Amino acid sequence: MSTNTMKAIRLHEFGGPNVLRYEEAPLPELKPGEVLVRVHAVGINPPDWYLREGYKDLPPEWRPQVPFPVILGSDVSGVVEAVATDVLGFSVGDEVFGMVRFPSFGESAAYAEYVAAPASDLALKPAGIDHVHAAGAPMAGLTAWQFLIELGHSEPNPLQPEMHLPVPLNGKTVLINGAAGGVGHFAVQLAKWKGAHVIAVASGKHESFLRELGADEFIDYTKSPPEDAAHDVDLVLDTLGGPTTGRFLRILNRGGALFPVFLGFSDAEEAAKLGVTVSMTQVRSNGPQLAELGRLLDAGTVRVAIDSTFPLADARKAHERAVGGHIQGKIVLTVV
């Protein structure tokens, strides 16, 4: 590389998809513990548009300070270009994927031709899948993993006083709301892998897709509300979460659990009365867990569904697609 710049998608102000700018940005500098990755593909995720919009849905006192200009994104797949002298386990030329420095606000900097990532956030890319599919896996896959399989970190929980604890899934009935989306389609497959009976909730057009991924039952929420159609459920993973998530309390068995992925649950008294545990967590970067997920991806036990791809320069169109809804799997930006 003769130049010290690269192409990236940067934000100079908050707003709609039209504030995303494809432009020259400084090449990241490698710090100790880091790996420089030549990016081939970038997965896009809800935190990308929350940042783009200035976290307008958070209470003002929770909104982080964002230093402009900022490069969006956290999920990458690519090839190692350089490694810091203290890094073991990765070499130049290795194909890697990962969720970079999450949670952080604007420091992940993934929508770019090059990303400097802590080695601990990366794993070797599964040989059996391409960069586009690998880039779709980290945040959505780790979210499903840390909610359902193993938390994998000991950071204090900003969302609740106690740590989140996954529950044993073998032989349990698990309902996944928003099952066709990024987190949802991984959750369906991981719950199946762990021996659960899986009820998938999505709109009707996703039924055959979700049955192919292993869903035992399907509820089309456009025809009947899942809280009316389901009963005797042991765990609900509500990937949509928010203020309506309390509606699932009445379909849960006593001793069951409700895991909302987004903030807004407010029925704690009712949950206590029903003997239901309500718990959530914030996904965190974890290379070793990603390596475990990678083995499942390599074996075809879990697969990444791709909704659509866009060139990096068209990140604006990708964000328009994302906020349009009814996504099946993941939207990915291609860089090479």
Side-chain angles (χ1 to χ4, degrees):
M1 294 176 305
S2 52
T3 157
N4 292 326
T5 64
M6 61 175 178
K7 286 279 197 271
I9 294 287
R10 295 204 299 187
L11 207 58
H12 295 262
E13 61 187 315
F14 296 130
N18 59 319
V19 300
L20 299 177
R21 288 200 214 161
Y22 181 65
E23 61 190 17
E24 296 286 324
L27 207 59
E29 286 175 25
L30 211 50
K31 298 187 183 78
E34 290 185 344
V35 172
L36 184 68
V37 179
R38 170 82 168 97
V39 178
H40 285 236
V42 183
I44 84 167
N45 294 288
D48 303 356
W49 52 94
Y50 303 154
L51 169 54
R52 190 199 73 226
E53 293 168 342
Y55 301 101
K56 61 180 173 45
D57 292 337
L58 285 182
E61 65 277 12
W62 280 33
R63 286 177 206 159
Q65 290 298 306
V66 176
F68 291 121
V70 66
I71 299 174
L72 291 184
S74 64
D75 279 9
V76 296
S77 183
V79 177
V80 174
E81 180 93 5
V83 293
T85 50
D86 61 338
V87 168
L88 305 169
F90 294 107
S91 316
V92 172
D94 283 348
E95 296 192 318
V96 294
F97 73 136
M99 177 172 76
V100 181
R101 287 191 206 89
F102 194 86
S104 67
F105 302 100
E107 291 160 39
S108 302
Y111 288 20
E113 291 179 321
Y114 292 89
V115 171
S120 57
D121 292 355
L122 299 174
L124 292 172
K125 179 184 79 62
I129 63 173
D130 61 17
H131 287 291
V132 166
H133 288 79
M139 180 176 286
L142 283 173
T143 300
W145 193 274
Q146 291 175 8
F147 266 89
L148 296 179
I149 311 292
E150 184 200 4
L151 185 56
H153 67 79
S154 53
E155 297 290 328
N157 194 330
L159 311 169
Q160 63 195 34
E162 64 284 349
M163 295 300 275
H164 174 76
L165 278 178
V167 295
L169 300 178
N170 191 27
K172 299 286 175 52
T173 297
V174 177
L175 179 140
I176 293 157
N177 188 40
V183 175
H185 89 289
F186 283 113
V188 166
Q189 297 176 83
L190 290 174
K192 245 355 251 181
W193 173 61
K194 282 295 187 188
H197 177 88
V198 176
I199 305 171
V201 179
S203 63
K205 68 172 193 164
H206 298 304
E207 180 170 5
S208 61
F209 165 68
L210 287 162
R211 289 197 183 272
E212 276 169 37
L213 295 184
D216 298 289
E217 294 180 53
F218 177 82
I219 297 171
D220 179 351
Y221 72 84
T222 66
K223 297 210 171 101
S224 55
E227 66 273 21
D228 294 344
H231 52 86
D232 295 321
V233 173
D234 298 302
L235 170 67
V236 171
L237 179 74
D238 185 0
T239 73
L240 307 172
T244 62
T245 196
R247 67 197 168 124
F248 290 111
L249 289 173
R250 58 191 170 93
I251 68 170
L252 282 158
N253 292 328
R254 199 161 184 88
L258 167 61
F259 293 170
V261 176
F262 292 104
L263 297 169
F265 176 77
S266 56
D267 305 304
E269 271 177 48
E270 194 191 340
K273 222 178 286 173
L274 296 169
V276 168
T277 301
V278 180
S279 179
M280 58 193 308
T281 185
Q282 183 168 48
V283 65
R284 290 185 175 267
S285 300
N286 188 316
Q289 282 184 337
L290 207 52
E292 284 189 68
L293 179 62
R295 285 190 277 280
L296 298 178
L297 293 169
D298 226 357
T301 308
V302 173
R303 63 187 181 89
V304 185
I306 301 298
D307 175 89
S308 46
T309 61
F310 297 85
L312 180 64
D314 288 343
R316 184 180 300 187
K317 285 186 189 145
H319 275 233
E320 284 163 0
R321 167 77 194 116
V323 295
H326 295 285
I327 307 297
Q328 186 168 287
K330 297 289 302 176
I331 302 168
V332 173
L333 301 172
T334 54
V335 186
V336 174

